Amino acid sequence: MHAEIIAVGSELLTSSRIDTNSLFVTERLNELGIDVRAKAVVGDDSNDLAALFRQALDRADLVILTGGLGPTDDDVTRDVVASVLGLPMTENPEVVDRLRRRFESRKLKMPEINRRQAMVPEGAIVLDNPNGTAPGLLIVAGTRRVLLLPGPPRELKPMFERVLSEHLAPHAGSRRFYRRVLRITGRSESHVEQAAQPSYQVWRERRLPIDTTILAAFGQIELHLRVSADSRADADAILDAAARDLHLAIGPDIYSDDGRLLEQVVGDLLVAHKLSIALAESCTGGLLASRLTDVPGSSRYVERGIVAYSNRAKIELLGVDEHLIREHGAVSEPVARAMAEGIRQRAGADIGVAITGIAGPDGGSDAKPVGTVMIATAGVGEPAVRTFRFFGDREQVKFQASQAALDMVRRRLVDYHG
Ligand code: AMP
Ligand code: MG
């Protein structure tokens, strides 16, 4: 079954409100194995909506329209759908009654304009709306299904859950979508894509039902694999083999294929090796410590984290030699190294990690432009220090620096046999 979604509402075309209904609907449909092939946002205009609706009917088995079911003149969805499908509408006395009672329960008289919401196209199933006045409608037209849902998310969600289980799930078949997300650091999107392409080729030749999507974010690439299968076991067999192919092609740059974030992967490695970690952060201002301590149970391995922002803090709290700062600058490999060793010793931790850099937008120079970040680790093997050049704004530089620091620790622990 293929679905299309049309979100109706002029406000959704402006920045004042974003269409979230289609995201919710898509997610729930995908869980049932129903693919959403296209979606659109359209203003409260009968002609525009009619044109889009006709197109969607041509392509999809299920067309879902959200919004525009209110009582006012700008709510056109019901009328447009009935007229495109050529269905006469009549007032449904039960719905009028329900609406009237809803108003009476609040000691109000029902405004006449609300009678519009009781107009039902011939043959349509009326979907009760416990959270609002606009009832939903389900119309079965030949092999096509058309579903009209109210715009407010708190009305749409419970109504859609019921339609799913009562009317859509029985027709969806046993096929479902199953996903696997591989998270990758240390490579660009195109390098990941290039390394993955030969595997995709093999899957295509073997006609494996795998869809792939690559998502690039700062400091991380995600490969999303999706298969349609009759059972979790069938899906896992395909996804396990696919993940193995990608592990062979991409290697240890893949840090997780089971949904874990980088801070969780690092935490799990620290627990497995019974190691503790201490952090000395300058330009990230505690972000690394924050991310590591977002993980429940991190008290088992996070010993402490210090934000040593000023030179004086680096000297006083980490024991960095002030001559080192004077000679090389606070953003330098020797200072990063001294910070990592300083925090490791003072904390009595197994691993010390230090970050010092220029997050911008000011403070860059030709030699050390904005985005220059030095990251050092000490303990568990040879001390290491690396210089990175990140792009983006201040927040993005900080995030990438924390990501790179976590990744340096991860790689160190993956290779560690202590
Ligand atoms: P309507 O059913 O068109 O009267 O919509 C009522 C209200 O629901 C709108 O003012 C929005 O606040 C909200 N709404 C409508 N469509 C959406 C949508 N696609 N996503 C999120 N909120 C929506
Ligand atoms: Mg509206």
Side-chain angles (χ1 to χ4, degrees):
M1 206 192 279
H2 300 151
E4 293 201 16
I5 302 171
I6 301 175
V8 187
S10 296
E11 76 279 13
L12 305 171
L13 292 169
T14 70
S15 56
S16 63
R17 175 132 297 149
I18 48 169
D19 157 40
T20 55
N21 285 342
S22 69
L23 304 177
F24 170 78
V25 167
T26 300
E27 190 172 318
R28 304 295 283 114
L29 288 174
N30 283 176
E31 284 166 16
L32 270 188
I34 300 172
D35 214 0
V36 174
R37 289 284 181 86
K39 68 172 178 177
V41 174
V42 65
D44 299 302
D45 179 275
S46 300
N47 292 326
D48 293 344
L49 175 56
L52 269 176
F53 178 53
R54 278 197 199 93
Q55 278 181 22
L57 270 182
D58 271 348
R59 295 182 296 226
D61 313 296
L62 171 64
V63 181
I64 297 178
L65 300 101
T66 83
L69 295 182
T72 59
D73 274 350
D74 63 355
D75 292 304
V76 297
T77 308
R78 196 183 302 101
D79 294 359
V80 167
V81 166
S83 115
V84 168
L85 294 174
L87 298 171
M89 287 210 286
T90 48
E91 191 181 89
N92 181 316
E94 277 170 44
V95 179
V96 179
D97 219 42
R98 219 178 291 151
L99 285 170
R100 197 168 275 138
R101 278 203 307 271
R102 194 181 162 82
F103 279 96
E104 277 166 6
S105 72
R106 297 177 178 184
K107 307 257 180 282
L108 294 169
K109 193 172 171 322
M110 182 181 84
E112 273 308 296
I113 59 165
N114 280 80
R115 289 184 93 102
R116 280 192 67 200
Q117 296 184 299
M119 296 300 284
V120 174
E122 193 174 275
I125 299 167
V126 178
L127 308 166
D128 194 22
N129 182 352
N131 293 328
T133 55
L137 294 167
L138 175 64
I139 301 166
V140 180
T143 59
R144 306 255 178 286
R145 284 182 170 70
V146 178
L147 176 61
L148 283 67
L149 298 169
R154 61 180 288 275
E155 298 178 29
L156 173 139
K157 286 181 183 179
M159 188 184 291
F160 188 56
E161 297 289 2
R162 283 190 60 183
V163 183
L164 269 179
S165 60
E166 289 174 19
H167 298 280
L168 298 178
H171 303 279
S174 58
R175 293 226 139 208
R176 298 279 182 277
F177 290 120
Y178 298 88
R179 279 167 210 288
R180 182 89 40 109
V181 177
L182 278 70
R183 295 203 166 95
I184 299 154
T185 53
R187 292 191 194 209
S188 71
E189 182 180 17
S190 39
H191 283 107
V192 171
E193 183 70 15
Q194 195 169 303
Q197 278 292 350
S199 300
Y200 297 169
Q201 183 63 34
V202 170
W203 302 342
R204 268 196 299 275
E205 280 161 15
R206 295 203 207 125
R207 301 191 178 284
L208 294 176
I210 308 177
D211 286 334
T212 62
T213 313
I214 189 162
L215 274 82
F218 278 106
Q220 169 168 303
I221 309 288
E222 290 183 359
L223 274 180
H224 289 220
L225 309 182
R226 190 182 81 163
V227 307
S228 82
D230 284 324
S231 70
R232 160 67 59 192
D234 288 358
D236 279 344
I238 297 170
L239 289 169
D240 288 346
R244 267 198 303 279
D245 290 346
L246 292 171
H247 275 286
L248 281 176
I250 299 171
D253 288 352
I254 297 176
Y255 69 78
S256 97
D257 62 8
D258 55 8
R260 284 179 307 158
L261 302 173
L262 188 51
E263 48 271 43
Q264 293 173 298
V265 171
V266 168
D268 289 345
L269 285 164
L270 289 167
V271 170
H273 293 300
K274 296 192 169 59
L275 296 170
S276 63
I277 192 166
L279 321 156
E281 299 180 66
S282 186
C283 67
T284 44
L287 179 60
L288 178 58
S290 174
R291 290 184 61 190
L292 275 168
T293 55
D294 280 344
V295 181
S298 49
S299 59
R300 284 175 292 172
Y301 45 84
V302 176
E303 205 289 330
R304 72 184 69 175
I306 283 178
V307 179
Y309 217 54
S310 66
N311 290 348
R312 192 156 67 83
K314 292 179 180 72
I315 295 162
E316 283 179 12
L317 299 176
L318 303 169
V320 176
D321 185 343
E322 67 175 296
H323 297 104
L324 216 51
I325 298 178
R326 211 172 299 139
E327 193 179 333
H328 301 281
V331 178
S332 63
E333 293 198 350
V335 168
R337 222 189 264 267
M339 288 169 68
E341 189 51 45
I343 192 69
R344 190 182 82 85
Q345 281 179 12
R346 288 175 181 225
D350 297 305
I351 303 175
V353 183
I355 304 177
T356 177
I358 303 156
D362 310 314
S365 66
D366 286 345
K368 292 173 189 172
V370 166
T372 301
V373 178
M374 281 78 176
I375 302 176
T377 59
V380 182
E382 289 294 302
V385 62
R386 283 184 62 186
T387 297
F388 295 86
R389 261 299 303 289
F390 300 120
F391 296 101
D393 63 22
R394 192 172 170 81
E395 196 184 334
Q396 289 161 339
V397 168
K398 287 173 75 175
F399 181 79
Q400 291 172 91
S402 71
Q403 189 78 347
L406 287 171
D407 201 45
M408 276 177 74
V409 175
R410 177 185 71 93
R411 286 174 202 259
R412 171 155 292 237
L413 295 176
V414 166
D415 296 336
Y416 176 70
H417 304 284

